[in-house]
Amino acid sequence: MAGAVIEQLLNGLTIGAVYVLLAAGLSIIFGVMDVINFAHGEFFALGAYLAFAIVAVGTGGGVFWIALLVAPLLVALIAAVIERGTIRPLYGRNPLYHILLTFGLVLIFKDAISFVWGDNPKPFAQPPILRGPIDLLGFSYSKYNFFVIGIGVVMAIGTWLLLNRTRFGLVVRAGAQDREMVRHLGIDIDRYYTLVFAFGAFLAALAGIVLGAKQSVSPGMGNSVIIPAFVIVVLGGLGSFRGAVIGGFGVGIIETFFRTVFPSFEGLVVFLLMIGVLLVRPQGLFGSPEWESSEGGGELLTGGGGGVLDGQTRFRLGALVVALLFLAPLGIGVIYTSYEVNSLLLTILVWALFALSLDFVMGYAGLVSLGHVLFFGLGAYGTVLTVENGMPSVFVALGAGIVVAALVAWMVGHLSIRVSGVYFSMITLGFAELFYQLVQKVGFTGGSDGLFGFDPVYGLMSGPEVGDVALLGEIELFYYFVLAAVIGSYLLARRMMNAPFGSVLQGIRESEERASFIGYDVTAYKRRAFVVSGGLAGLAGGLSAIHTGGVSPSVLAWIKSGEVIVMTILGGMGTLYGPMIGAGVFFGLREILQSFTDQWQGVLGLVFVLFVIYVPEGLVSVPGMLSRYTNQEAGGGPEPVAETDSEVSN
């Protein structure tokens, strides 16, 4: 019995050591630079693949040790280039832009890894000296696992000494507290930031190598560890190195214990802990961080004032787009089949509605939800389960999905809106991941297989007929139903934003403190917006489930929340119609790129990175940018400076 307990403890410490290396780098980067790096998992995977490549071309047992040093250094060099070229231009903006940028980097790295090494897992041989068990005090255990634990402990101690006992650490900690003060002392703090980012990537790559040699390397390995790494960082405290170390080992032991004793709760307990800690102590168990930055974040940029088109012109263009969408199914059949194009248009419309729902809270209330896919998934599951349980009307089923999503949005909003900024983003991500784990374990949701097989247009009446010939097929009929739902949702959202409710939301986004000071219940307004947003996302999810004929846990993958954020930023948040344009451009580009390359996600990721850096207000701001550029080229000079709030009020 004692031997089994010791073995499970060592197993927990082994996976915990990997988590420590991964989370420590992530936490240091945030603590020093205020950058939440979603690409950290891809540095983890890239390190494993580079080490695999070095071992594959080398001979002898010593090649592994060379790879263990060289591969992380290569990843650190790549990270340094990325920091200088992409992240550095965003310093001074809201830290949430770093989330958006690094999500684009995730898409680039994932496709780059698949392009170079393929999609199949690769075996990664351990060095001969670390193979087999070792007997210690009458107990036999894997040599390699002891090595992994030792690497984690040594690197944790070494990193602590580097940050607290060297001049480098002193400058880094000072720069985190007051960057400008350090710069005025004649120190190139930007160079130190590059080194910090590179060092964090070095630790992630090291973690990928030791785990890859324990199991294998695969393109999805970065995606599988990034969320647990964020859980650890949040539990310990965003930016707290001590919290990352203790949290890493703690989460490793907890996961191993539940995997052995209560396997049904594996995957749930960690997210429950994360949510609980954020609700009770948002700064984490050990503070956030040991050296707290005094620099405030910038605002979220919206596309509302970026264009040059007046309201009447926008209305005419919108009417033209609606007319084209209405006529599209009637003029198809030259290049693609009617079903193919209608299916693509349906996908665009559904995701346009989903992006609209996110813009309702992100663009107007400043709430960046990284777990918005939760409400999309709830709407999908609610709709399918209603139909599966004998409800003969798709309208009632959609209504059930909307109600379920809105109710959960109220509960999640009631809890989550207590925190703000990055912490709000993290807690919504936690709720989404909790539900993602739950639907895979509950029988009535179909588990990991999902629920499929019902009529995609179940409950809709037949289309109009001339004699015995139907003018509209089922797919066309459903297309017009979805088009009407999307247009109606947009008009509803627009009506609400033009009402006093929308004005208050925008005031909260600009200055929550000022809105509260003049008497508005800020929390209540944000919660109401969150409920409306959740209901719209639920409608999008329900329509998606009907379109695809079912639902599976894949609709709840966290990366889909990232994709809808991409669409929202790409089109221009804070406009309602901008994110819908972004959805069309996203899927249109995907359709075009898929015909040329399998690495279409990487190209989209590159486009998104460029937009976050150079066109943060989205596509809707491009006409304004072109107009300003044209005026300057014509000698008109810069446009007048916009009036301040005080000047407008006067």
Side-chain angles (χ1 to χ4, degrees):
M1 180 66 178
V5 172
I6 294 174
E7 182 178 5
Q8 293 305 318
L9 178 62
L10 289 173
N11 287 339
L13 290 174
T14 301
I15 189 64
V18 176
Y19 283 156
V20 165
L21 292 172
L22 190 65
L26 194 63
S27 189
I28 291 169
I29 290 171
F30 180 81
V32 174
M33 304 166 63
D34 277 343
V35 173
I36 292 185
N37 181 21
F38 265 90
H40 205 66
E42 301 312 311
F43 291 144
F44 171 90
L46 184 60
Y49 270 100
L50 288 174
F52 162 78
I54 294 171
V55 171
V57 300
T59 57
V63 179
F64 174 83
W65 306 104
I66 295 174
L68 191 64
L69 175 63
V70 173
L73 288 175
L74 290 174
V75 172
L77 179 61
I78 293 170
V81 173
I82 288 173
E83 189 276 339
R84 282 182 172 270
T86 64
I87 295 176
R88 183 172 294 185
L90 300 187
Y91 293 140
R93 288 200 207 167
N94 191 298
L96 294 168
Y97 278 102
H98 302 140
I99 296 177
L100 307 178
L101 175 82
T102 56
F103 178 80
L105 295 175
V106 168
L107 299 179
I108 295 172
F109 274 110
K110 282 174 67 70
D111 268 8
I113 289 173
S114 295
F115 177 75
V116 175
W117 287 285
D119 294 325
N120 296 322
K122 308 287 185 184
F124 190 170
Q126 299 173 3
I129 194 174
L130 296 178
R131 297 173 189 168
I134 184 174
D135 293 323
L136 186 65
L137 300 176
F139 179 76
S140 182
Y141 194 65
S142 166
K143 291 181 184 178
Y144 190 79
N145 283 4
F146 277 122
F147 165 73
V148 174
I149 295 170
I151 283 285
V153 172
V154 169
M155 291 305 300
I157 294 173
T159 302
W160 184 87
L161 291 173
L162 176 68
L163 293 174
N164 292 277
R165 293 291 186 269
T166 65
R167 182 181 182 277
F168 173 83
L170 177 64
V171 173
V172 164
R173 287 183 284 121
Q177 294 180 17
D178 194 332
R179 185 177 181 179
E180 292 304 316
M181 180 270 292
V182 174
R183 180 176 285 113
H184 289 321
L185 291 175
I187 299 173
D188 185 1
I189 189 62
D190 291 337
R191 180 166 61 90
Y192 280 85
Y193 274 27
T194 302
L195 292 174
V196 167
F197 194 79
F199 181 68
F202 177 94
L203 293 177
L206 192 62
I209 295 169
V210 298
L211 184 63
K214 178 176 170 59
Q215 44 189 40
S216 63
V217 295
S218 63
M221 62 188 298
N223 184 52
S224 66
V225 298
I226 188 62
I227 300 302
F230 272 118
V231 170
I232 292 164
V233 170
V234 169
L235 285 174
L238 282 169
S240 170
F241 175 73
R242 177 180 54 177
V245 173
I246 296 176
F249 282 120
V251 167
I253 293 171
I254 291 171
E255 278 190 348
T256 303
F257 172 78
F258 276 89
R259 185 182 303 122
T260 305
V261 181
F262 302 108
S264 298
F265 288 92
E266 184 191 1
L268 296 176
V269 64
V270 175
F271 293 109
L272 286 171
L273 278 173
M274 172 185 173
I275 292 168
V277 168
L278 279 172
L279 292 177
V280 177
R281 186 178 169 83
Q283 68 271 33
L285 297 176
F286 297 95
S288 170
E290 286 91 343
W291 52 84
E292 185 153 8
S293 174
S294 60
E295 298 181 7
E299 63 177 351
L300 284 169
L301 303 177
T302 67
V308 295
L309 304 178
D310 56 39
Q312 187 177 24
T313 304
R314 288 199 300 268
F315 174 79
R316 289 174 178 171
L317 288 175
L320 176 61
V321 170
V322 171
L324 292 174
L325 288 172
F326 183 83
L327 295 173
L330 306 178
I332 294 169
V334 178
I335 300 176
Y336 299 97
T337 67
S338 175
Y339 182 84
E340 289 173 336
V341 176
N342 279 329
S343 182
L344 173 61
L345 290 175
L346 278 169
T347 301
I348 291 174
L349 287 173
V350 166
W351 279 81
L353 178 55
F354 189 21
L356 167 70
S357 73
L358 178 65
D359 193 39
F360 199 90
V361 290
M362 188 167 83
Y364 287 88
L367 298 174
V368 181
S369 173
L370 289 178
H372 218 61
V373 74
L374 166 63
F375 311 115
F376 185 86
L378 282 167
Y381 272 98
T383 300
V384 173
L385 287 171
T386 302
V387 172
E388 290 284 319
N389 286 279
M391 177 54 64
S393 171
V394 74
F395 302 103
V396 175
L398 280 172
I402 294 170
V403 169
V404 169
L407 286 175
V408 174
W410 184 89
M411 291 186 287
V412 171
H414 181 76
L415 297 172
S416 303
I417 291 172
R418 299 179 184 181
V419 297
S420 60
V422 170
Y423 299 104
F424 174 83
S425 300
M426 290 293 106
I427 198 170
T428 55
L429 177 62
F431 275 113
E433 285 296 308
L434 183 64
F435 187 69
Y436 174 67
Q437 297 290 333
L438 191 62
V439 296
Q440 298 184 76
K441 301 177 185 297
V442 178
F444 69 86
T445 63
S448 58
D449 295 327
L451 299 169
F452 288 93
F454 73 100
D455 187 347
V457 288
Y458 190 81
L460 286 174
M461 66 184 70
S462 300
E465 298 180 357
V466 175
D468 295 329
V469 180
L471 294 180
L472 294 175
E474 287 186 339
I475 187 69
E476 288 83 6
L477 182 64
F478 183 63
Y479 170 84
Y480 284 117
F481 174 71
V482 173
L483 179 60
V486 172
I487 293 172
S489 298
Y490 169 76
L491 293 176
L492 172 64
R494 184 170 176 269
R495 175 78 174 178
M496 294 182 72
M497 287 307 167
N498 288 334
F501 174 77
S503 300
V504 174
L505 282 183
Q506 294 173 69
I508 291 171
R509 181 193 65 201
E510 299 300 327
S511 176
E512 185 171 326
E513 184 178 358
R514 182 169 56 186
S516 178
F517 179 75
I518 61 178
Y520 289 111
D521 188 342
V522 170
T523 301
Y525 272 91
K526 290 197 291 186
R527 188 181 299 132
R528 291 167 195 162
F530 202 66
V531 170
V532 174
S533 175
L536 292 174
L539 174 59
L543 292 172
S544 176
I546 296 171
H547 171 43
T548 57
V551 63
S552 69
S554 63
V555 304
L556 290 157
W558 72 268
I559 202 163
K560 292 191 180 297
S561 285
E563 287 178 353
V564 76
I565 290 176
V566 167
M567 298 171 199
T568 304
I569 297 295
L570 186 63
M573 67 178 182
T575 61
L576 296 179
Y577 63 90
M580 302 175 84
I581 295 172
V585 171
F586 181 93
F587 284 102
L589 280 175
R590 187 183 76 170
E591 191 71 15
I592 294 170
L593 293 171
Q594 279 180 329
S595 62
F596 293 100
T597 176
D598 292 332
Q599 276 64 53
W600 61 270
Q601 284 190 339
V603 179
L604 277 178
L606 178 61
V607 171
F608 183 61
V609 166
L610 294 175
F611 262 77
V612 171
I613 297 174
Y614 300 108
V615 196
E617 296 177 7
L619 287 167
V620 298
S621 70
V622 171
M625 295 175 62
L626 294 176
S627 175
R628 288 191 292 270
Y629 176 78
T630 303
N631 288 338
Q632 291 176 8
E633 287 293 309
E639 291 186 346
V641 178
E643 295 173 313
T644 63
D645 290 339
S646 59
E647 290 171 336
V648 172
S649 62
N650 290 333

